[in-house]
Amino acid sequence: MSVQYIGKQSICFNNPPKILCGGCVAGEKESQGPLGQGQYGNTFDEVVMDPMCGKNSWEEAESELQYMASNIAIEKSGLKKENIRYIFAGDLLGQNMATSFGVGSLGIPLFGLYGACSTMGESLCLAAMTISGGFASHAMAVASSHFASAEKTFRFPLGYGSQRKMSATWTVTGSGAVILSDTSGFAKITAITPGKIIDYDFKDKENMGAAMAPAAADTIYHHLTDLGIKANHYDKIITGDLGYVGQTILIDLLKEKDIDISKVHMDCGIEIFDKETQDTHSGGSGCGCSAVVLCGHLFNLLKRKKLKKILFIPTGALLSPSSSNEGLSIPSIAHAVAIEADS
Amino acid sequence: MSVQYIGKQSICFNNPPKILCGGCVAGEKESQGPLGQGQYGNTFDEVVMDPMCGKNSWEEAESELQYMASNIAIEKSGLKKENIRYIFAGDLLGQNMATSFGVGSLGIPLFGLYGACSTMGESLCLAAMTISGGFASHAMAVASSHFASAEKTFRFPLGYGSQRKMSATWTVTGSGAVILSDTSGFAKITAITPGKIIDYDFKDKENMGAAMAPAAADTIYHHLTDLGIKANHYDKIITGDLGYVGQTILIDLLKEKDIDISKVHMDCGIEIFDKETQDTHSGGSGCGCSAVVLCGHLFNLLKRKKLKKILFIPTGALLSPSSSNEGLSIPSIAHAVAIEADS
């Protein structure tokens, strides 16, 4: 064992884990957006037109999305599910309900995670450490969200027809699963920067982008500082679901630290929906947002070498229905994962 | 990097991480039990007589317990908090509310976990992999629960004065924090067996012991099989919070596989309350239950060499208020951590 940590909070892998494959499933609305039909064609492995996925509740539907995405990834990998040693997975629901009923039935040892919309970053960090540390030859990272289960949990029942603020985002219905390997893949995870909680005492749950931007700024700042690199080291620095409002704040916050990411910044929440036609206000959000954009669109670009080095930073707003109702702030967190296409 | 995994789901560390110290805080009722006053004296580092911990809500009180336990552990370690590279933490509340508002303010990178009452096992597994893999020199594992925040979440508001079934357990008010180190400690983690979800389609949320016993049995079985050892390899095999009902089922289930743990089994939920005088029915439960028993009582016994080898298996019932209300089963999970006193 040799020391692999660097700076304040980053890890550079001596033995970078490989990305073997990903699987993703998205809902109807996502399929009608730029990543479902547009210049890139359909970037999702599967599209589910029934929002209930043939189940009895929104939560069970979300579980089904996780199960489907995981099975697609396993099928693509050519492995048997028994070869996936550990799963790292989470969702937005209380007590990780979509995960427990989703990937539970695969019969693979599970680490349940809660990082809100940062979950795909958290799960990739832990799966990468697991592979690089020699604790498994294959591990899977999974995250999901569902528009209806999230609205029910954090906002209002859909039947109320509540109006949404222009700063609000639209929770993506979808799930992504990534299989990491110690031997082969089309890309590798070279470094990670797990984030710490940042709390600016911001309380508007209809403006998650503003709540999460400071956490993204902090993690990006520490990542670049720890590794001694500039923003242009990466072809793209890709946040999870800051949306239009959060993007502006993130760029401004980093400018205060003399870091300019404006030319390389991309946000999964901005990419997934069409601003003009889809009525999603500030953009997409949810654990599933960065998960499906990564496993579909971004993996495609890495495979085709259209992107060679990216920093992927899913962002999470750690509010709960109780914390909102009790008038507390929205603590946020962001985990960064540096990915390089195989040369 | 060399392969450290063994059998179906276990890891044996080439470089066993050390347990540097633990910190624990418990509530008034816990302080009146066998581990607060009895043959072992007071095994808790601190006892909080005010169930609100001076805060405005049960959730904030639970956050305060996590903050206190973490600070006690950090103080005992002689480290500065900046030296703790990562925290692995979770609780029972929706969206990990106690954790986000509890250890968030420490400013240490955080991996939020959801494993219900198995959280202390999950966090120790991940912290151990992190240290052993060379990804940090110090990491902290934290878990908490609070009687009132848990009752409010999973059962009825306390004011209703609802009657409890005899198979029900009493959620422990408390938090435990363990600091692992790559260099020094009074004990070491030699192996782990992360668990998979086991679901027997059991639905009675007032009988968590029965729901979780099959998960404990599965993890213990695989741990012993993977490592090729017998139950009597350990001085004690210690489950988290099966209580009296779950203990009976666990012993029976393992007997069916020709494994007899009856002579070495201990359950934190049975240890923490007095059956005759404290009216806690089947015993104690909650993430805090196994956390405070480990950080207080068990660490004391390991330090005094009264115990030399233990297998610690916190057990979690992965139900949520939604899954219960929607009539779903209670999937369960258990993670095993093998601990040896320094010889």
Side-chain angles (χ1 to χ4, degrees):
Chain A
M1 178 206 70
S2 57
V3 166
Q4 305 188 47
Y5 47 92
I6 181 169
K8 280 217 170 196
Q9 60 196 70
S10 303
I11 291 168
C12 275
F13 294 111
N14 296 337
N15 232 319
K18 313 285 195 300
I19 299 177
L20 183 56
C21 64
C24 63
V25 184
E28 182 180 16
K29 189 177 182 82
E30 291 68 27
S31 77
Q32 294 162 345
L35 303 183
Q37 47 192 40
Q39 59 167 312
Y40 303 106
N42 173 27
T43 66
F44 307 118
D45 291 307
E46 204 151 328
V47 170
V48 179
M49 301 304 274
D50 170 15
M52 294 292 271
C53 302
K55 301 291 176 180
N56 295 316
S57 70
W58 302 121
E59 292 82 7
E60 286 180 271
E62 188 177 336
S63 293
E64 183 64 15
L65 294 175
Q66 279 206 16
Y67 186 73
M68 289 173 70
S70 300
N71 277 312
I72 291 168
I74 292 170
E75 197 171 315
K76 279 194 198 175
S77 73
L79 298 167
K80 288 182 182 158
K81 67 174 185 169
E82 294 76 26
N83 298 121
I84 311 293
R85 203 165 171 92
Y86 302 116
I87 295 180
F88 298 85
D91 59 77
L92 285 177
L93 306 180
Q95 290 80 25
N96 263 11
M97 182 177 166
T99 301
S100 300
F101 290 89
V103 294
S105 56
L106 292 171
I108 300 171
L110 171 72
F111 291 97
L113 310 179
Y114 191 79
C117 309
S118 76
T119 302
M120 200 68 220
E122 184 181 358
S123 60
L124 281 172
C125 284
L126 290 170
M129 288 158 72
T130 300
I131 299 294
S132 179
F135 304 122
S137 57
H138 295 94
M140 187 156 68
V142 187
S144 70
S145 55
H146 190 298
F147 172 71
S149 63
E151 288 295 307
K152 177 183 156 185
T153 300
F154 294 104
R155 294 171 200 101
F156 298 100
L158 292 181
Y160 286 14
S162 292
Q163 249 192 318
R164 305 158 58 79
K165 284 194 195 173
M166 291 308 288
S167 57
T169 45
W170 188 281
T171 305
V172 164
T173 297
S175 174
V178 178
I179 296 178
L180 300 186
S181 155
D182 60 354
T183 46
S184 59
F186 63 89
K188 59 191 173 188
I189 295 178
T190 54
I192 58 172
T193 304
K196 51 184 188 282
I197 286 184
I198 303 291
D199 190 343
Y200 276 27
D201 203 28
F202 187 83
K203 294 179 180 177
D204 182 359
K205 66 180 176 172
E206 294 225 51
N207 190 350
M208 297 292 190
M212 299 186 295
D218 187 78
T219 299
I220 293 170
Y221 170 76
H222 282 291
H223 178 81
L224 298 178
T225 308
D226 285 353
L227 272 68
I229 54 178
K230 303 267 184 208
N232 63 8
H233 176 84
Y234 294 105
D235 300 330
K236 289 282 176 197
I237 291 182
I238 306 162
T239 46
D241 54 354
L242 296 183
Y244 295 98
V245 175
Q247 180 181 48
T248 314
I249 299 171
L250 170 65
I251 290 172
D252 284 353
L253 284 172
L254 285 172
K255 272 199 183 139
E256 287 176 10
K257 290 182 181 282
D258 289 326
I259 296 172
D260 182 5
I261 63 161
S262 60
K263 291 199 179 59
V264 291
H265 185 248
M266 178 195 250
D267 183 73
C268 299
I270 291 176
E271 298 298 311
I272 197 164
F273 292 125
D274 185 273
K275 194 181 183 180
E276 306 305 324
T277 63
Q278 290 195 287
D279 200 29
T280 47
H281 301 353
S282 188
S285 62
C287 311
C289 178
S290 59
V292 299
V293 174
L294 177 74
C295 293
H297 183 48
L298 297 176
F299 281 180
N300 287 350
L301 295 178
L302 285 162
K303 281 177 193 162
R304 293 184 204 139
K305 308 281 158 65
K306 299 285 185 192
L307 288 177
K308 287 182 183 162
K309 289 183 188 179
I310 63 172
L311 187 65
F312 176 65
I313 313 124
T315 41
L318 302 168
L319 80 170
S320 80
S322 300
S323 68
S324 294
N325 291 339
E326 290 171 2
L328 300 182
S329 61
I330 304 176
S332 293
I333 197 162
H335 302 289
V337 181
I339 301 175
E340 281 186 26
D342 229 27
S343 51
Chain B
M1 179 204 70
S2 56
V3 165
Q4 306 187 47
Y5 46 92
I6 181 168
K8 280 216 170 195
Q9 60 194 71
S10 303
I11 292 168
C12 277
F13 294 110
N14 295 338
N15 232 318
K18 313 285 195 302
I19 299 177
L20 183 56
C21 62
C24 63
V25 183
E28 183 180 15
K29 190 176 181 82
E30 291 70 24
S31 77
Q32 293 162 346
L35 303 183
Q37 48 192 41
Q39 58 166 314
Y40 302 107
N42 172 28
T43 66
F44 307 119
D45 290 309
E46 206 151 325
V47 170
V48 178
M49 300 304 274
D50 169 16
M52 294 291 271
C53 303
K55 300 289 176 182
N56 295 316
S57 71
W58 302 122
E59 292 82 6
E60 286 180 90
E62 188 177 336
S63 293
E64 182 65 15
L65 295 175
Q66 280 206 13
Y67 186 73
M68 288 173 70
S70 300
N71 277 310
I72 291 168
I74 293 171
E75 196 171 315
K76 278 193 198 175
S77 73
L79 298 166
K80 288 181 183 159
K81 67 176 184 168
E82 293 78 25
N83 298 120
I84 311 294
R85 202 165 171 93
Y86 302 116
I87 295 180
F88 298 86
D91 58 78
L92 285 178
L93 306 179
Q95 289 81 25
N96 262 11
M97 183 177 165
T99 301
S100 300
F101 290 89
V103 295
S105 56
L106 291 171
I108 299 171
L110 171 71
F111 290 97
L113 310 178
Y114 192 80
C117 309
S118 75
T119 302
M120 200 69 221
E122 183 181 358
S123 60
L124 281 172
C125 285
L126 291 170
M129 288 158 74
T130 301
I131 299 292
S132 179
F135 304 121
S137 56
H138 295 93
M140 187 156 68
V142 186
S144 69
S145 56
H146 190 299
F147 172 71
S149 63
E151 287 296 307
K152 177 182 154 184
T153 300
F154 295 103
R155 294 172 200 101
F156 297 100
L158 292 182
Y160 285 14
S162 293
Q163 249 192 318
R164 305 158 58 78
K165 283 195 195 171
M166 291 309 287
S167 57
T169 46
W170 188 281
T171 306
V172 164
T173 298
S175 174
V178 177
I179 296 178
L180 299 186
S181 155
D182 60 354
T183 46
S184 58
F186 63 89
K188 59 191 174 189
I189 294 177
T190 54
I192 59 172
T193 304
K196 52 184 188 281
I197 286 183
I198 304 291
D199 190 342
Y200 275 28
D201 203 29
F202 187 83
K203 293 180 180 177
D204 182 359
K205 65 180 177 171
E206 294 226 50
N207 191 350
M208 298 292 190
M212 299 186 295
D218 186 77
T219 299
I220 293 169
Y221 170 76
H222 282 290
H223 178 81
L224 298 177
T225 308
D226 285 353
L227 272 68
I229 54 179
K230 302 265 183 209
N232 63 8
H233 176 84
Y234 294 105
D235 299 330
K236 289 282 174 196
I237 291 181
I238 306 163
T239 46
D241 52 355
L242 296 183
Y244 295 97
V245 176
Q247 180 181 49
T248 313
I249 299 170
L250 170 66
I251 290 172
D252 284 353
L253 284 173
L254 285 172
K255 271 198 185 142
E256 287 176 10
K257 290 183 180 282
D258 288 325
I259 295 172
D260 182 6
I261 63 161
S262 61
K263 290 198 179 60
V264 292
H265 185 248
M266 179 196 249
D267 183 73
C268 298
I270 292 176
E271 298 297 311
I272 197 165
F273 292 125
D274 185 273
K275 193 181 185 181
E276 306 305 324
T277 63
Q278 291 196 286
D279 199 29
T280 48
H281 300 354
S282 188
S285 62
C287 312
C289 178
S290 59
V292 300
V293 174
L294 177 73
C295 294
H297 183 48
L298 297 175
F299 281 0
N300 287 349
L301 295 179
L302 285 161
K303 281 178 194 164
R304 293 185 203 138
K305 310 277 159 64
K306 300 285 184 191
L307 289 177
K308 287 181 184 162
K309 289 183 187 178
I310 63 172
L311 187 65
F312 176 65
I313 313 123
T315 41
L318 302 168
L319 81 169
S320 80
S322 300
S323 67
S324 295
N325 291 339
E326 290 171 3
L328 301 181
S329 61
I330 304 176
S332 293
I333 198 162
H335 302 289
V337 181
I339 300 174
E340 281 186 24
D342 229 27
S343 50

Short mmCIF file of all heavy atoms in Angstrom, two decimals, chain A residues 282-306:
data_model
loop_
_atom_site.label_atom_id
_atom_site.label_comp_id
_atom_site.label_asym_id
_atom_site.label_seq_id
_atom_site.Cartn_x
_atom_site.Cartn_y
_atom_site.Cartn_z
N SER A 282 -35.23 26.31 -14.87
CA SER A 282 -33.77 26.43 -14.74
C SER A 282 -33.01 25.21 -15.26
O SER A 282 -31.78 25.25 -15.38
CB SER A 282 -33.40 26.71 -13.28
OG SER A 282 -32.03 27.01 -13.17
N GLY A 283 -33.71 24.13 -15.59
CA GLY A 283 -33.04 22.94 -16.13
C GLY A 283 -33.47 21.66 -15.45
O GLY A 283 -34.49 21.64 -14.76
N GLY A 284 -32.70 20.61 -15.65
CA GLY A 284 -33.01 19.32 -15.03
C GLY A 284 -32.26 19.15 -13.72
O GLY A 284 -31.29 19.86 -13.45
N SER A 285 -32.73 18.21 -12.90
CA SER A 285 -32.04 17.93 -11.63
C SER A 285 -32.33 16.50 -11.19
O SER A 285 -32.94 15.73 -11.92
CB SER A 285 -32.48 18.93 -10.55
OG SER A 285 -33.87 18.79 -10.31
N GLY A 286 -31.86 16.16 -9.99
CA GLY A 286 -32.08 14.81 -9.47
C GLY A 286 -30.84 13.94 -9.68
O GLY A 286 -30.05 14.18 -10.58
N CYS A 287 -30.69 12.91 -8.83
CA CYS A 287 -29.55 11.99 -8.97
C CYS A 287 -29.50 11.41 -10.37
O CYS A 287 -28.44 11.13 -10.91
CB CYS A 287 -29.67 10.78 -8.05
SG CYS A 287 -30.06 11.07 -6.36
N GLY A 288 -30.68 11.19 -10.95
CA GLY A 288 -30.75 10.56 -12.26
C GLY A 288 -30.24 11.46 -13.37
O GLY A 288 -29.83 10.97 -14.43
N CYS A 289 -30.26 12.77 -13.16
CA CYS A 289 -29.86 13.73 -14.20
C CYS A 289 -28.40 13.51 -14.60
O CYS A 289 -28.10 13.18 -15.75
CB CYS A 289 -30.10 15.15 -13.70
SG CYS A 289 -29.60 16.43 -14.86
N SER A 290 -27.49 13.68 -13.65
CA SER A 290 -26.08 13.50 -14.01
C SER A 290 -25.79 12.05 -14.35
O SER A 290 -24.92 11.76 -15.17
CB SER A 290 -25.17 13.98 -12.87
OG SER A 290 -25.43 13.28 -11.69
N ALA A 291 -26.53 11.12 -13.75
CA ALA A 291 -26.29 9.69 -14.00
C ALA A 291 -26.59 9.32 -15.45
O ALA A 291 -25.79 8.65 -16.11
CB ALA A 291 -27.13 8.84 -13.04
N VAL A 292 -27.74 9.77 -15.98
CA VAL A 292 -28.08 9.38 -17.36
C VAL A 292 -27.26 10.16 -18.39
O VAL A 292 -26.95 9.64 -19.46
CB VAL A 292 -29.60 9.50 -17.69
CG1 VAL A 292 -30.42 8.58 -16.80
CG2 VAL A 292 -30.10 10.93 -17.59
N VAL A 293 -26.92 11.41 -18.06
CA VAL A 293 -26.09 12.18 -19.00
C VAL A 293 -24.69 11.57 -19.07
O VAL A 293 -24.09 11.44 -20.13
CB VAL A 293 -26.04 13.68 -18.60
CG1 VAL A 293 -25.06 14.44 -19.50
CG2 VAL A 293 -27.43 14.29 -18.70
N LEU A 294 -24.17 11.14 -17.91
CA LEU A 294 -22.85 10.49 -17.89
C LEU A 294 -22.87 9.18 -18.67
O LEU A 294 -22.05 8.96 -19.56
CB LEU A 294 -22.41 10.21 -16.45
CG LEU A 294 -21.08 9.47 -16.31
CD1 LEU A 294 -19.91 10.40 -16.62
CD2 LEU A 294 -20.90 8.88 -14.91
N CYS A 295 -23.82 8.31 -18.31
CA CYS A 295 -23.82 6.95 -18.88
C CYS A 295 -24.20 6.93 -20.36
O CYS A 295 -23.86 5.98 -21.06
CB CYS A 295 -24.77 6.05 -18.09
SG CYS A 295 -24.18 5.77 -16.41
N GLY A 296 -24.90 7.97 -20.82
CA GLY A 296 -25.26 8.03 -22.23
C GLY A 296 -24.33 8.98 -22.98
O GLY A 296 -23.27 8.58 -23.48
N HIS A 297 -24.71 10.24 -23.02
CA HIS A 297 -24.03 11.28 -23.79
C HIS A 297 -22.52 11.37 -23.53
O HIS A 297 -21.70 11.34 -24.46
CB HIS A 297 -24.71 12.61 -23.46
CG HIS A 297 -24.20 13.78 -24.22
ND1 HIS A 297 -24.02 13.78 -25.58
CD2 HIS A 297 -23.82 15.03 -23.79
CE1 HIS A 297 -23.56 14.96 -25.97
NE2 HIS A 297 -23.42 15.73 -24.90
N LEU A 298 -22.12 11.48 -22.26
CA LEU A 298 -20.70 11.71 -21.97
C LEU A 298 -19.85 10.48 -22.28
O LEU A 298 -18.74 10.61 -22.81
CB LEU A 298 -20.51 12.15 -20.51
CG LEU A 298 -21.18 13.49 -20.15
CD1 LEU A 298 -21.02 13.79 -18.66
CD2 LEU A 298 -20.59 14.62 -20.99
N PHE A 299 -20.35 9.30 -21.95
CA PHE A 299 -19.59 8.09 -22.30
C PHE A 299 -19.44 7.96 -23.82
O PHE A 299 -18.39 7.56 -24.32
CB PHE A 299 -20.26 6.84 -21.71
CG PHE A 299 -19.98 6.64 -20.23
CD1 PHE A 299 -20.52 5.55 -19.54
CD2 PHE A 299 -19.16 7.51 -19.53
CE1 PHE A 299 -20.25 5.35 -18.19
CE2 PHE A 299 -18.89 7.33 -18.17
CZ PHE A 299 -19.45 6.24 -17.50
N ASN A 300 -20.50 8.33 -24.56
CA ASN A 300 -20.41 8.32 -26.02
C ASN A 300 -19.28 9.23 -26.51
O ASN A 300 -18.48 8.85 -27.37
CB ASN A 300 -21.72 8.81 -26.65
CG ASN A 300 -22.84 7.78 -26.53
OD1 ASN A 300 -22.59 6.64 -26.15
ND2 ASN A 300 -24.07 8.20 -26.84
N LEU A 301 -19.24 10.44 -25.95
CA LEU A 301 -18.21 11.41 -26.38
C LEU A 301 -16.81 10.94 -25.99
O LEU A 301 -15.85 11.15 -26.73
CB LEU A 301 -18.50 12.79 -25.77
CG LEU A 301 -19.79 13.47 -26.23
CD1 LEU A 301 -19.97 14.82 -25.52
CD2 LEU A 301 -19.81 13.68 -27.75
N LEU A 302 -16.69 10.29 -24.84
CA LEU A 302 -15.37 9.77 -24.41
C LEU A 302 -14.93 8.62 -25.32
O LEU A 302 -13.77 8.52 -25.70
CB LEU A 302 -15.44 9.29 -22.95
CG LEU A 302 -15.47 10.39 -21.87
CD1 LEU A 302 -15.99 9.83 -20.54
CD2 LEU A 302 -14.09 11.02 -21.67
N LYS A 303 -15.90 7.77 -25.67
CA LYS A 303 -15.57 6.63 -26.54
C LYS A 303 -15.10 7.11 -27.91
O LYS A 303 -14.19 6.54 -28.50
CB LYS A 303 -16.80 5.72 -26.71
CG LYS A 303 -17.04 4.80 -25.52
CD LYS A 303 -18.31 3.98 -25.74
CE LYS A 303 -18.74 3.30 -24.46
NZ LYS A 303 -20.13 2.86 -24.50
N ARG A 304 -15.77 8.18 -28.41
CA ARG A 304 -15.40 8.71 -29.74
C ARG A 304 -14.25 9.70 -29.67
O ARG A 304 -13.95 10.38 -30.66
CB ARG A 304 -16.62 9.42 -30.35
CG ARG A 304 -17.75 8.47 -30.68
CD ARG A 304 -18.90 9.23 -31.37
NE ARG A 304 -20.15 8.52 -31.19
CZ ARG A 304 -21.32 9.10 -30.92
NH1 ARG A 304 -21.40 10.41 -30.81
NH2 ARG A 304 -22.41 8.37 -30.78
N LYS A 305 -13.68 9.86 -28.46
CA LYS A 305 -12.56 10.80 -28.26
C LYS A 305 -12.94 12.26 -28.56
O LYS A 305 -12.06 13.08 -28.82
CB LYS A 305 -11.33 10.40 -29.10
CG LYS A 305 -10.89 8.96 -28.91
CD LYS A 305 -10.08 8.75 -27.64
CE LYS A 305 -10.08 7.32 -27.15
NZ LYS A 305 -9.46 6.35 -28.02
N LYS A 306 -14.25 12.55 -28.57
CA LYS A 306 -14.67 13.94 -28.71
C LYS A 306 -14.35 14.69 -27.42
O LYS A 306 -14.20 15.90 -27.39
CB LYS A 306 -16.18 14.03 -28.99
CG LYS A 306 -16.61 13.33 -30.26
CD LYS A 306 -16.24 14.13 -31.48
CE LYS A 306 -16.79 13.46 -32.74
NZ LYS A 306 -16.21 14.03 -33.96
#
